[in-house]
Amino acid sequence: MEVSFSREAQMLRLGRGALFHGEGILAITKALLQSGVAYVGGYQGAPVSHLLDVLVQSHEYLAELGVHVEACSNEASAAAMLGASIHYPLRGAVTWKSIVGTNVAADALSNLASPGVLGGVLIIVGEDYGEGASVIQERTYAYALKSSLILLDPRPDLTRMVRIVEDGFALSEASNMPAMLQLRIRACHMRGSFVCSDNAAPAVSPLHLMEEPAAFDYAKLAHPPVTYGQEKLKGEERIPAARRYIVEHQLNEVFVGHHDDIGIVVQGGLYNSLIRALQQLGLADALGNAGPSILALNVICPLVPEQIHAFCLAKRAVLVVEEGQPEFIEQEILAILRRRDVNTPVQGKGPLPMAGEYTVEVIARGLADFLARVAPELAIGPGTAWLAQTNARRDAVAAQLAKPLPPRPPQFCIGCPERPVFAALKLAQQDIGPVHIAADIGCHAFATFEPFSMGHSILGYGMSLASRAGVSPMMNRRALAIMGDGGFWHNGLLTGVQSALFNGDDAVLVILKNGYTSATGTQEIISTPTADAKGDAADKQESQVHTNRLIEQTLEGIGVKWLRTVNSYHVADMRAALDDAFTTDFAGLKVIIAEGECQLERQRRVRPWQAQMLQKRKRLVRVKYGVDEDTCSGDHSCIRLSGCPTLSVKESSDPLRVDPVATVLDGCVGCGLCGENAHAASLCPSFYRGEVIQNPNWRDRVAARVRSAVIALFQPA
Ligand code: SF4
Ligand code: SF4
């Protein structure tokens, strides 16, 4: 990975009394070190990628401290890593994006939770839910309930978040339950401060090794018959122990308001939005002093019945602010109160919507509705006016536009090596007819948007080949699966390739080998070109992905007989390879590896190198593409075949032409796709390839003069 986190890595070294100022996710990372964590692992994904990225780049400091860091191949391997804490007094932390990562990790999570842990375990999950989420809209809560895990949801305040990490380990040890800590996108990226403690070197570590393994103990396995006993332990010992710790250490917070007869129970993570909503309604000040009393649950699982009972007992009514469906917390609160014969009215879903993100506006509307029903005497006039103004503003914009805004879907980066593969696939389907395309998770999912609109299903990360297994036998034409190299190593090799080979499936797989798990932040994987390969290259602008052949070797080793590696940018070659794969007599699995380095990562390497070359006054050649507007036919099929954002249109300078012509904007990185498409699809020959030479040598200068002179000969005077 070419992104540098050296500044963040320095902040991890801050000692006792120093003021940390930065992002929430980095504060959590620092808190892990302050807690004496012995090992950390995980699989990247927004919004928690930085945790692992920063630790991976801090490996020297972590080695000094004795903390082991592992970049796991998927979330299941990260969860399994926590098995170290079953027998040993080791504090372990892993991270991933939820809910997808938790789904992948579910097997290991259950097998961890059943025997329970001796060393504290903390799983930091990026809760990517609601506005801007890129995954299925589900919450982690169901897993916590099902597997008897602790679920922490800290109030977004750096001091509180750090404390919850430190207490999270202790709580896990006190109850023998693994703990999950969920962080919403806003909490990860909010900025704030906290006063640091010293980092704590773990007592057992690579610097202080254990002499002997733990004695064999069948009760530590998640195997019958001990699983029956473990199930009993969960309810009779672990959960009560967790509840005791939560109360004794005041992990949940009660904020007593001046309208104490009205109560709000809120997930800790939503506390800031709730306060802002109350402010908008005139029921809280800028310092967060609110009218209603608030119980902020920094631990949302398990709930503490005595605490819920005490908070709700003398209230006129209580609102539960709980995001997502179903309403787990609300139902449990209702059950707790009814079992204790407390008849405080409780509302939640109803005033608040069942699904979707609880933004400030959504909470404010729910609050206004709730208060109108239970406490109409509370004057929320200014808030009602604010909500009305928000509606009016939205209606005014909608009226002005007269129609909905056109969607602006995300798309491939300029010069992305994956775009040409889909251009080739468009052309190949002109030859062989439409095919069923099993898509996957990764940047290549951008091909589901225009101008490609390709992909019939997405069933999970690395699952494309597996997801066409039921389609292939039913389809006249071969089905195609597309996955990235990240997906291949995450899951695709086992769930897809191995299964297809074992079953003798007749299918086509395209693996986009760009060298990184690009969609999650271009983290390195086992098939990333080595730093040596990148460093040794004479021209740093050249792609180096061909230097690592691990995917090819793995496929050959596992028994793939039909295997082609094609340069992603060579559209005609890719089209021919696809045509061949769909029409060959070979009836087994056919794999095409589309090789081309992630352009984002390439540019991160190339731009500093180019700047250095210019600084040293060395000759630098950069390629740009352009359109000769006299030749451009104006049908824009090049745009429909490419989708590159720098390939655009402009008014023709010819007054006799009314239609716009194609043009290449400044951002062009010279990937060559424009020329390749024009050639492969026999488009009009309007594209030209130019070389921008900076710090030219004498040969360049002479050549330029000769060319100018020859051109001048043919120009009218
Ligand atoms: S990050 Fe890399 S692979 Fe992803 S769209 Fe950008 S260039 Fe393509
Ligand atoms: S050559 Fe064409 S496709 Fe490639 S970056 Fe330039 S405009 Fe975009």
Side-chain angles (χ1 to χ4, degrees):
M1 179 177 36
E2 309 286 339
V3 179
S4 169
F5 291 104
S6 54
R7 200 184 131 266
E8 287 83 351
Q10 275 310 110
M11 292 170 76
L12 295 184
R13 291 176 179 263
L14 293 176
R16 187 180 185 77
L19 189 69
F20 171 105
H21 187 79
E23 277 193 320
I25 188 64
L26 193 59
I28 297 282
T29 314
K30 171 76 170 94
L32 294 179
L33 302 183
Q34 293 182 179
S35 306
V37 73
Y39 65 95
V40 185
Y43 193 82
Q44 61 275 356
V48 289
S49 290
H50 278 192
L51 192 154
L52 207 57
D53 292 347
V54 172
L55 288 182
V56 166
Q57 288 196 16
S58 307
H59 57 93
E60 282 174 14
Y61 175 54
L62 297 182
E64 270 172 47
L65 210 56
V67 178
H68 172 72
V69 179
E70 184 121 345
C72 302
S73 58
N74 60 30
E75 296 84 353
S77 71
M81 190 183 176
L82 295 170
S85 297
I86 294 177
H87 282 281
Y88 304 105
L90 296 166
R91 288 190 165 181
V94 297
T95 185
W96 59 68
K97 173 197 190 91
S98 209
I99 190 73
V100 284
T102 310
N103 288 334
V104 175
D107 193 6
L109 276 183
S110 299
N111 282 279
L112 176 75
S114 222
V117 294
L118 181 66
V121 154
L122 202 60
I123 303 157
I124 294 132
V125 294
E127 199 74 353
D128 190 8
Y129 179 87
E131 207 175 283
S134 57
V135 295
I136 304 150
Q137 301 281 292
E138 289 175 6
R139 310 307 313 256
T140 308
Y141 209 103
Y143 280 95
L145 286 177
K146 172 187 82 69
S147 298
S148 298
L149 301 163
I150 292 159
L151 185 56
L152 306 165
D153 189 1
R155 180 162 64 83
D157 166 90
L158 259 53
T159 303
R160 174 60 47 177
M161 285 155 73
V162 167
R163 200 195 135 194
I164 289 292
V165 169
E166 294 168 346
D167 265 319
F169 280 113
L171 172 58
S172 170
E173 283 159 3
S175 62
N176 305 124
M177 294 164 73
M180 296 180 105
L181 184 150
Q182 65 174 14
L183 281 181
R184 291 170 180 77
I185 293 175
R186 286 191 178 93
C188 280
H189 300 309
M190 67 174 278
R191 298 184 76 81
S193 307
F194 71 93
V195 179
C196 298
S197 306
D198 286 333
N199 292 335
V204 178
S205 74
L207 303 177
H208 302 284
L209 300 174
M210 292 182 279
E211 291 295 330
E212 302 292 342
F216 175 75
D217 182 358
Y218 193 84
K220 297 279 188 185
L221 300 170
H223 252 186
V226 290
T227 42
Y228 309 122
Q230 289 164 354
E231 210 43 25
K232 215 160 163 324
L233 274 180
K234 286 178 184 174
E236 291 179 1
E237 290 183 19
R238 296 182 193 162
I239 293 175
R243 286 178 172 147
R244 270 195 306 280
Y245 187 99
I246 293 164
V247 173
E248 283 164 13
H249 294 82
Q250 298 174 357
L251 297 194
N252 294 326
E253 300 168 280
V254 176
F255 300 91
V256 179
H258 46 270
H259 298 295
D260 186 36
D261 58 336
I262 304 295
I264 300 175
V265 181
V266 63
Q267 291 175 279
L270 293 176
Y271 176 85
N272 290 2
S273 302
L274 170 67
I275 291 295
R276 183 71 182 135
L278 285 166
Q279 247 184 299
Q280 293 301 107
L281 298 183
L283 292 174
D285 64 21
L287 299 175
N289 300 309
S293 286
I294 298 171
L295 171 59
L297 296 172
N298 294 310
V299 189
I300 52 175
C301 183
L303 297 181
V304 182
E306 295 73 23
Q307 202 167 51
I308 299 291
H309 178 186
F311 180 78
C312 296
L313 188 58
K315 299 277 184 286
R316 201 176 353 155
V318 169
L319 178 71
V320 180
V321 182
E322 175 192 3
E323 203 175 48
Q325 62 180 332
E327 65 279 43
F328 292 112
I329 299 176
E330 186 183 338
Q331 287 183 25
E332 196 172 337
I333 289 176
L334 282 166
I336 289 168
L337 297 183
R338 295 305 165 258
R339 280 187 195 128
R340 290 164 182 249
D341 236 358
V342 176
N343 289 316
T344 306
V346 174
Q347 298 184 27
K349 304 296 180 188
L352 289 157
M354 177 59 90
E357 187 177 2
Y358 281 9
T359 59
V360 171
E361 186 190 337
V362 169
I363 296 178
R365 288 188 193 284
L367 271 171
D369 185 3
F370 167 73
L371 292 171
R373 291 188 212 187
V374 304
E377 76 282 5
L378 289 185
I380 54 166
T384 315
W386 172 70
L387 289 171
Q389 279 165 13
T390 308
N391 280 346
R393 231 181 2 254
R394 198 172 286 140
D395 291 347
V397 172
Q400 224 173 8
L401 292 169
K403 57 181 182 184
L405 281 173
R408 294 196 304 162
Q411 54 173 303
F412 296 108
C413 300
I414 295 167
C416 173
E418 301 185 351
R419 180 180 285 114
V421 178
F422 292 98
L425 182 52
K426 241 186 182 186
L427 296 173
Q429 290 188 89
Q430 287 174 9
D431 305 332
I432 52 181
V435 295
H436 177 93
I437 300 171
D440 211 297
I441 291 183
C443 292
H444 39 90
F446 293 146
T448 54
F449 300 119
E450 288 180 348
F452 302 112
S453 304
M454 291 177 180
H456 290 86
S457 60
I458 298 181
L459 265 289
Y461 194 21
M463 299 289 194
S464 59
L465 188 58
S467 72
R468 57 79 253 163
V471 177
S472 287
M474 317 292 166
M475 188 69 72
N476 184 27
R477 212 166 279 137
R478 283 174 183 150
L480 171 70
I482 295 178
M483 71 175 74
D485 39 8
F488 175 78
W489 294 118
H490 179 272
N491 219 335
L493 172 62
L494 293 183
T495 54
V497 177
Q498 192 229 134
S499 182
L501 289 174
F502 180 65
N503 290 290
D505 288 3
D506 184 354
V508 182
L509 168 65
V510 171
I511 299 175
L512 299 157
K513 179 184 166 190
N514 64 35
Y516 303 85
T517 53
S518 300
T520 56
T522 65
Q523 286 81 8
E524 296 190 349
I525 43 179
I526 193 168
S527 50
T528 298
T530 61
D532 282 354
K534 288 185 266 183
D536 290 348
D539 184 349
K540 299 284 185 299
Q541 301 182 101
E542 288 301 314
S543 162
Q544 297 302 319
V545 279
H546 62 276
T547 59
N548 189 326
R549 295 199 69 254
L550 205 57
I551 295 179
E552 289 87 337
Q553 289 161 350
T554 303
L555 291 170
E556 282 161 2
I558 200 174
V560 172
K561 298 280 183 281
W562 196 106
L563 178 64
R564 304 272 162 84
T565 298
V566 184
N567 184 319
S568 298
Y569 293 103
H570 294 175
V571 176
D573 294 350
M574 186 63 71
R575 176 186 193 172
L578 285 164
D579 284 351
D580 199 7
F582 280 104
T583 54
T584 176
D585 291 338
F586 179 77
L589 178 65
K590 292 151 281 288
V591 183
I592 299 172
I593 296 182
E595 195 172 68
E597 185 179 8
C598 165
Q599 190 66 240
L600 180 67
E601 196 60 15
R602 180 176 164 265
Q603 290 299 320
R604 284 174 178 158
R605 183 181 70 248
V606 165
R607 290 199 173 165
W609 177 78
Q610 287 175 338
Q612 265 180 14
M613 295 287 279
L614 294 178
Q615 211 176 20
K616 292 180 190 163
R617 302 198 169 282
K618 290 201 172 171
R619 181 175 184 269
L620 180 69
V621 183
R622 286 183 295 131
V623 173
K624 295 268 175 196
Y625 278 72
V627 175
D628 176 0
E629 68 167 272
D630 291 338
T631 316
C632 174
S633 66
D635 86 331
H636 306 147
S637 44
C638 55
I639 293 175
R640 290 192 292 277
L641 206 50
S642 158
C644 176
T646 52
L647 184 53
S648 186
V649 289
K650 68 171 187 180
E651 289 301 315
S652 170
S653 55
D654 181 347
L656 297 178
R657 293 180 68 169
V658 286
D659 290 331
V661 289
T663 185
V664 175
L665 306 178
D666 271 352
C668 171
V669 293
C671 77
L673 174 60
C674 289
E676 286 285 339
N677 272 347
H679 167 66
S682 308
L683 307 181
C684 71
S686 56
F687 285 97
Y688 62 82
R689 178 183 184 277
E691 289 186 350
V692 182
I693 304 178
Q694 286 166 287
N695 298 329
N697 58 25
W698 66 267
R699 281 196 200 87
D700 298 322
R701 288 176 199 281
V702 170
R705 281 201 195 107
V706 171
R707 280 191 200 114
S708 302
V710 172
I711 291 169
L713 279 178
F714 294 96
Q715 296 285 343

